[in-house]
Amino acid sequence: MTGAKVTASGWGWRHAGRSQPAVSGLDLDIQPGERVLVLGPSGAGKSTLMHALAGVLGDDEDGDETGELRVDGQRPSRARGRVGLVLQDPDSQVVLARIGDDVAFGCENLAVPRAEIWPRVRRALAEVGLDLPLRHPTSALSGGQKQRLALAGVLAMQPGLVLLDEPTANLDPEGVVEVRDAVLRSVRASGATLIVIEHRVAVWQHLVDRVIVLDPAGGVLADGPTDSVLSTEGERLAAAGVWIPRFPPARPDRRPVVAAAAEILLHTEDLAVGRVPFARKRAAVVADGLNLDVRAGRATTISGPNGTGKSTLALTLAGLLAPAGGRLAADDALAAGLGAAPHRWRSRDLLERIGTVFQDPEHQFLAGTVHAELAIGPRALGLSPAEQTERVDSLLHRLRLDHLADANPFTLSGGEKRRLSVATVLATRPRLLVLDEPTFGQDSRTWAELVRLLAELLDAGTAVVAVTHDADFVSTLADVRLVLEAGPGTTTDRRVPGGTVAVPARPAGGRAG
Amino acid sequence: MSVLTPDIRPSAIATVNPVAKLAVALLISCALMLSIDWVSAAVALLLEGMLLAWCGLNARQFWLRTAPVWIAAPFAMLTTVLYGEDSGAVLFSAGIVSISDGSVALGLAIGLRVLAIGIPGIVLLATTDPTDLADGLAQVVRLPARFVLGALAGLRLVGMFIDDWQSLSLARRARGVGDGGGLRGWARRFAGLAFALLVLSVRRGSKLATAMEARGFGSDEPRTWARPSVFGLRDGLVVLLGVGIAAAAITAAVLAGTWRFVLA
């Protein structure tokens, strides 16, 4: 098997119903076996190019094509089996219920003889390092494992061109390394041409030998060996939101908080958290022995491997899930006249007390326009129309969403959706902000804005609890770090930012840090 | 274990081609739909009961899984006895409730029917991996691959409904619109949640369709099947067994004089 050759001459694509083309005037020449990283600000048409190369962009009804795009001299839709595509979302790429069947799926579609399919499946699973029985259920895989499964499904088709569309954006740090290493092993073994899109350059920098930067105005902005493109274009790319190691996003300074000013909003004693499984009565505990104080003006980060109950803890602290054991109490400063158990508060009472930003912004969108979305909270609070308008307008402006006020929230880009989901919560000015993976999959520009906004809120006295895998986020904002570990009990780690007094969590699970 | 990857205990029935099991369930259902009388249903139920020993379900699993039909059957029977069409001697009457010889016989016939039709269906589900059923439908019955595999992949999304529903309702509580308004408020929220779930599923479904297309699915070219679905002599015998049960039920009812052809 050999790598595929990719050429584009004056190629462009305009999605049906859009006035501007997503890609235009693109000229490319990628040789067999080359490993290419495609960069560009969001909206430069990177994903459109990948879908086109994979032959899944659709036909005349779905958009207008100009120029020529060829894989091995053929139209991509005719080069079936020569091209394999791995997408960003791990959950929407699993086709079948068992891993062996899922990897075999592509081979079956290419009419590979049955006797040849199973050896290919075993080889592909070995290449991506998924050492599990063929009958293992795909629903039991982690995000990183699902992405490696998707890669194995592509490798089993023995394509000449492997396309990866932000394959690690939704993964935790271990998952990122797993997938990156699997890609490295497999393209080395097969000699396939590789094209990757990724915001986080550091992940792929040493694996690719060429970087192509797409220009949102059309065509190519820069094209050449990795190091030279990153040094000439690095600063401009960083400003456009690409994560370039040499140009990290700006980090805000935290104003030191006087210890006495930090009143306790929530505290837990030997808290156990868990969800109640479908059709059961008792919660299945995922973490226990949790002791911590949540204080005004302080950021607490919760990290640890997948499956240790980080999100469940956050939802419990947010008053959305009932504690599975132990005690969670809101102090008077937060409860303001209500009982001490936040999960018993009415939905409307949460608004000015605890705001929650969910991992998937789409879960929390309720309205048809960005403006209406932001007005929901203030209206539920019963604010006057004038005050509603004032709050909505100031948030639109502050989070750079003015020009999107009439857009449908579901049509926004990833970064815009994240900013909107944070803005909807800020509209009711809660005293405590709970965020689940706020920086997942975000470009460096959105990251910097988000971190600056949170730092301002903290300085103004809002408490922040954030579940995060993001080491930069933790080192920039965390006053208290909680690290959940697999198995019973947890450990905590204190941090003493310059000039402030550390507020450690109380000893937890007999293993306090 | 989940709906798509059930733990199926090794048993004689588990190794039968799912298509044969489906055929048996359909044959018995059709035969019992033709008449409403207690003899045909009782005979079918009796013969099915004798086969249950080979289904590989232990007593606990059997009762747990068939619980819905054991609950549904007496209810169907009771309502027919109380409100069904009367004939023969009236045994009891008060307002619209009346019990007669005819309604008792009809109730018995319907209750037994629910069991005789429900139990083979449940045993079929409990001993069949959905992937094997899809393989059988595509390779043995020759249904279009696009339809069968599309449905199978879609079934996986259904498994995510429960998690999505929970996330969506928690998010609504966090947004301040999770309670209040009494029954009308509850109904409005339920409708809103259902719609949000639909939107989410359609979006996920279209992403899945793209991923499947990228792996060569959906073209008109022929495809191969990694898992052979073989319909052998034993599977044929199982179908004959189903024919036998259906024939025995009908014959017994005709001989006993209880056969009442519904279309007559």
Side-chain angles (χ1 to χ4, degrees):
Chain A
M1 174 183 43
T2 54
K5 179 180 164 66
V6 177
T7 53
S9 55
W11 186 76
W13 179 267
R14 186 173 60 84
H15 292 284
R18 297 286 171 94
S19 58
Q20 295 298 313
V23 182
S24 63
L26 184 68
D27 294 297
L28 277 182
D29 197 355
I30 297 173
Q31 295 305 312
E34 266 196 294
R35 303 204 282 255
V36 181
L37 177 64
V38 175
L39 298 175
S42 55
K46 304 185 293 288
S47 286
T48 305
L49 174 62
M50 294 296 244
H51 280 77
L53 286 170
V56 294
L57 207 45
D59 49 23
D60 295 346
E61 277 177 30
D62 302 290
D64 294 330
E65 189 172 19
T66 50
E68 260 187 8
L69 187 68
R70 295 286 181 265
V71 175
D72 281 344
Q74 285 188 306
R75 296 173 65 88
S77 54
R78 300 201 158 264
R80 240 162 52 91
R82 275 301 274 166
V83 187
L85 171 68
V86 177
L87 297 159
Q88 180 178 341
D89 180 4
D91 280 328
S92 55
Q93 295 186 75
V94 179
V95 179
L96 292 173
R98 303 182 190 278
I99 64 172
D101 298 346
D102 191 78
V103 174
F105 178 72
C107 298
E108 294 176 315
N109 293 329
L110 297 179
V112 175
R114 184 179 298 149
E116 203 187 313
I117 291 180
W118 293 105
R120 281 199 192 190
V121 168
R122 288 196 188 86
R123 210 177 317 130
L125 284 169
E127 272 175 24
V128 301
L130 264 187
D131 186 18
L132 293 165
L134 294 180
R135 292 186 64 76
H136 189 79
T138 48
S139 57
L141 299 177
S142 71
Q145 287 176 323
K146 280 183 185 155
Q147 288 300 74
R148 284 189 284 155
L149 179 72
L151 182 63
V154 161
L155 294 174
M157 295 164 69
Q158 304 187 341
L161 172 61
V162 174
L163 304 169
L164 309 176
D165 188 351
E166 300 198 46
T168 57
N170 286 14
L171 303 183
D172 57 42
E174 296 85 42
V176 171
V177 173
E178 278 174 18
V179 172
R180 199 257 326 264
D181 291 350
V183 169
L184 182 64
R185 259 198 315 275
S186 54
V187 296
R188 269 194 188 142
S190 71
T193 310
L194 175 72
I195 304 182
V196 190
I197 301 178
E198 185 69 68
H199 280 307
R200 301 217 168 217
V201 170
V203 177
W204 300 98
Q205 197 173 356
H206 302 291
L207 192 147
V208 298
D209 30 46
R210 177 175 168 191
V211 173
I212 296 174
V213 183
L214 295 187
D215 188 340
V220 167
L221 206 61
D223 182 354
T226 311
D227 291 336
S228 75
V229 171
L230 289 183
S231 58
T232 56
E233 294 295 322
E235 199 164 356
R236 192 146 47 129
L237 284 169
V242 180
W243 289 87
I244 308 284
R246 276 179 46 216
F247 303 97
R251 295 167 177 227
D253 289 324
R254 287 284 310 282
R255 196 170 58 204
V257 185
V258 183
E263 54 187 344
I264 295 182
L265 300 183
L266 271 182
H267 67 272
T268 73
E269 284 162 31
D270 212 20
L271 176 68
V273 298
R275 288 169 185 263
V276 182
F278 183 67
R280 297 283 162 77
K281 280 195 148 167
R282 289 173 62 86
V285 173
V286 288
D288 58 7
L290 298 159
N291 293 293
L292 80 149
D293 294 335
V294 175
R295 290 175 187 258
R298 301 224 177 252
T300 305
T301 57
I302 304 169
S303 45
N306 283 328
T308 48
K310 300 185 298 292
S311 293
T312 312
L313 171 59
L315 294 173
T316 308
L317 293 175
L320 301 177
L321 295 177
R327 191 172 136 79
L328 165 70
D331 290 69
D332 289 341
L334 182 67
L338 298 180
H343 75 276
R344 295 194 190 284
W345 297 347
R346 284 182 310 161
S347 172
R348 181 150 55 85
D349 292 329
L350 283 172
L351 288 173
E352 289 185 298
R353 294 176 175 83
I354 307 175
T356 312
V357 178
F358 285 74
Q359 183 173 333
D360 184 351
E362 292 188 1
H363 277 148
Q364 66 188 90
F365 292 156
L366 301 170
T369 68
V370 168
H371 194 281
E373 193 69 61
L374 286 169
I376 285 174
R379 205 176 50 231
L381 281 180
L383 298 180
S384 70
E387 197 165 354
Q388 287 182 28
T389 314
E390 192 246 292
R391 284 199 186 183
V392 170
D393 288 347
S394 79
L395 278 168
L396 280 174
H397 182 68
R398 191 168 169 197
L399 287 162
R400 288 193 296 116
L401 295 165
D402 316 63
H403 62 295
L404 297 167
D406 295 323
N408 186 309
F410 282 97
T411 63
L412 304 183
S413 74
E416 289 159 354
K417 277 182 193 157
R418 171 56 74 214
R419 298 207 299 272
L420 177 59
S421 68
V422 174
T424 55
V425 170
L426 297 183
T428 57
R429 299 180 184 159
R431 294 219 59 197
L432 164 61
L433 201 56
V434 177
L435 308 106
D436 193 355
E437 297 289 2
T439 57
F440 236 23
Q442 298 303 321
D443 65 22
S444 67
R445 203 170 155 203
T446 305
W447 188 93
E449 284 170 350
L450 209 57
V451 170
R452 191 177 64 233
L453 180 67
L454 292 176
E456 284 169 19
L457 290 169
L458 284 162
D459 289 348
T462 304
V464 170
V465 172
V467 171
T468 187
H469 284 299
D470 179 345
D472 293 330
F473 182 90
V474 173
S475 67
T476 308
L477 289 180
D479 297 301
V480 179
R481 300 175 189 186
L482 187 65
V483 181
L484 298 186
E485 289 187 340
T490 58
T491 55
T492 55
D493 167 22
R494 311 164 188 190
R495 172 168 179 264
V496 188
T500 66
V501 177
V503 184
R506 278 166 295 197
R511 284 194 283 151
Chain B
M1 173 189 142
S2 74
V3 181
L4 280 177
T5 53
D7 286 327
I8 295 169
R9 289 151 49 102
S11 68
I13 288 190
T15 56
V16 171
N17 192 304
V19 172
K21 287 188 271 184
L22 189 63
V24 170
L26 286 176
L27 274 169
I28 295 176
S29 307
C30 288
L32 294 184
M33 294 288 191
L34 293 177
S35 161
I36 298 178
D37 70 286
W38 69 272
V39 175
S40 60
V43 169
L45 192 59
L46 192 76
L47 293 173
E48 286 164 12
M50 284 154 60
L51 293 176
L52 282 177
W54 286 278
C55 76
L57 294 176
N58 62 30
R60 193 185 120 79
Q61 281 175 321
F62 174 76
W63 291 113
L64 212 64
R65 296 200 183 223
T66 55
V69 286
W70 291 109
I71 293 167
F75 269 106
M77 190 164 102
L78 196 67
T79 41
T80 313
V81 167
L82 295 182
Y83 306 108
E85 196 184 326
D86 288 314
S87 61
V90 174
L91 307 173
F92 172 82
S93 179
I96 56 162
V97 172
S98 64
I99 303 177
S100 62
D101 279 352
S103 70
V104 169
L106 201 61
L108 194 64
I110 285 181
L112 288 173
R113 244 170 193 69
V114 170
L115 291 174
I117 292 175
I119 288 175
I122 287 172
V123 169
L124 165 82
L125 277 181
T127 59
T128 300
D129 188 317
T131 311
D132 293 340
L133 179 59
D135 282 336
L137 290 175
Q139 295 173 56
V140 178
V141 189
R142 306 257 166 204
L143 292 182
R146 216 191 262 238
F147 163 74
V148 172
L149 291 173
L152 185 64
L155 197 58
R156 202 184 60 81
L157 297 183
V158 175
M160 302 170 110
F161 277 3
I162 294 167
D163 283 346
D164 283 337
W165 183 269
Q166 197 184 23
S167 299
L168 287 169
S169 43
L170 291 183
R172 264 142 218 263
R173 170 164 162 76
R175 295 290 313 271
V177 292
D179 52 30
L183 196 64
R184 267 181 66 189
W186 180 87
R188 213 178 40 233
R189 274 195 306 282
F190 189 89
L193 266 175
F195 183 70
L197 190 65
L198 180 71
V199 171
L200 209 64
S201 310
V202 168
R203 293 170 65 82
R204 195 178 278 140
S206 75
K207 281 195 228 168
L208 178 62
T210 302
M212 288 170 77
E213 200 188 335
R215 278 161 72 185
F217 182 69
S219 78
D220 297 325
E221 312 280 316
R223 86 193 288 280
T224 49
W225 298 87
R227 300 163 301 279
S229 183
V230 182
F231 197 89
L233 184 63
R234 211 166 55 105
D235 302 304
L237 289 176
V238 169
V239 175
L240 279 183
L241 214 58
V243 174
I245 292 176
I250 293 174
T251 312
V254 171
L255 289 180
T258 59
W259 179 261
R260 275 188 10 195
F261 191 50
V262 286
L263 298 178

